[in-house]
Amino acid sequence: MITDAAGLGKARAAGFVLPALVLIGVFLVFPALWTIYLGLTDYRLTGLAAADPQIVGLDNYTTTLTDPRFLSSLWLTVVYVGGSAVLGQAGLGFTLAWLLRTRRGPLRRAVEGVVLLSWILPSTVVGFLWFGRLL
């Protein structure tokens, strides 16, 4: 039997890797391929066209990329993500950490408490919503 560095053998090593590969296939590869298929067809959810989607090639993509509403929404998305994630989260978080790195006392504890609440609160709210729904 051929063994690897861990001494498992190829079959047992594959047994450890296989569940991860299945999950990657189900949740990443299949949706990506399905999205490409939908983009290349005139797929519809209802009506007669839903029964037999036709290949339209890159028409959907060229129509979308030349639509001014799409370009505007794309730009607004870039501005929003840049403003909220880059400036808002990373920038503000780093600035607060830098300013409070040597400070001790109630101000630092208050900021740490607010940061912890912002992590805990959304999960808690979702938990209570689901709990109320199950009753």
Side-chain angles (χ1 to χ4, degrees):
M1 180 164 109
I2 299 174
T3 60
D4 56 1
L8 292 175
K10 289 185 178 184
R12 288 181 60 205
F16 282 105
V17 174
L18 188 63
L21 291 177
V22 168
L23 289 174
I24 289 171
V26 168
F27 291 107
L28 293 175
V29 176
F30 174 73
L33 294 175
W34 183 250
T35 301
I36 292 169
Y37 167 75
L38 292 177
L40 296 173
T41 63
D42 63 350
Y43 190 86
R44 300 279 187 256
L45 293 176
T46 60
L48 296 175
D52 187 29
Q54 302 296 315
I55 301 291
V56 294
L58 298 176
D59 289 347
N60 290 334
Y61 296 108
T62 55
T63 302
T64 302
L65 291 174
T66 57
D67 185 0
R69 292 178 298 175
F70 172 76
L71 297 175
S72 173
S73 67
L74 182 65
W75 174 246
L76 288 174
T77 301
V78 168
V79 168
Y80 176 77
V81 169
S84 79
V86 175
L87 294 177
Q89 292 179 11
L92 180 62
F94 181 77
T95 303
L96 279 173
W98 184 260
L99 292 173
L100 297 174
R101 74 188 184 284
T102 58
R103 183 178 286 267
R104 300 282 182 245
L107 177 64
R108 181 172 174 165
R109 284 195 299 272
V111 171
E112 288 172 348
V114 169
V115 168
L116 286 174
L117 275 176
S118 70
W119 285 341
I120 294 169
L121 196 59
S123 301
T124 305
V125 169
V126 169
F128 274 114
L129 288 173
W130 276 103
F131 181 73
R133 187 132 170 99
L134 294 175
L135 293 179

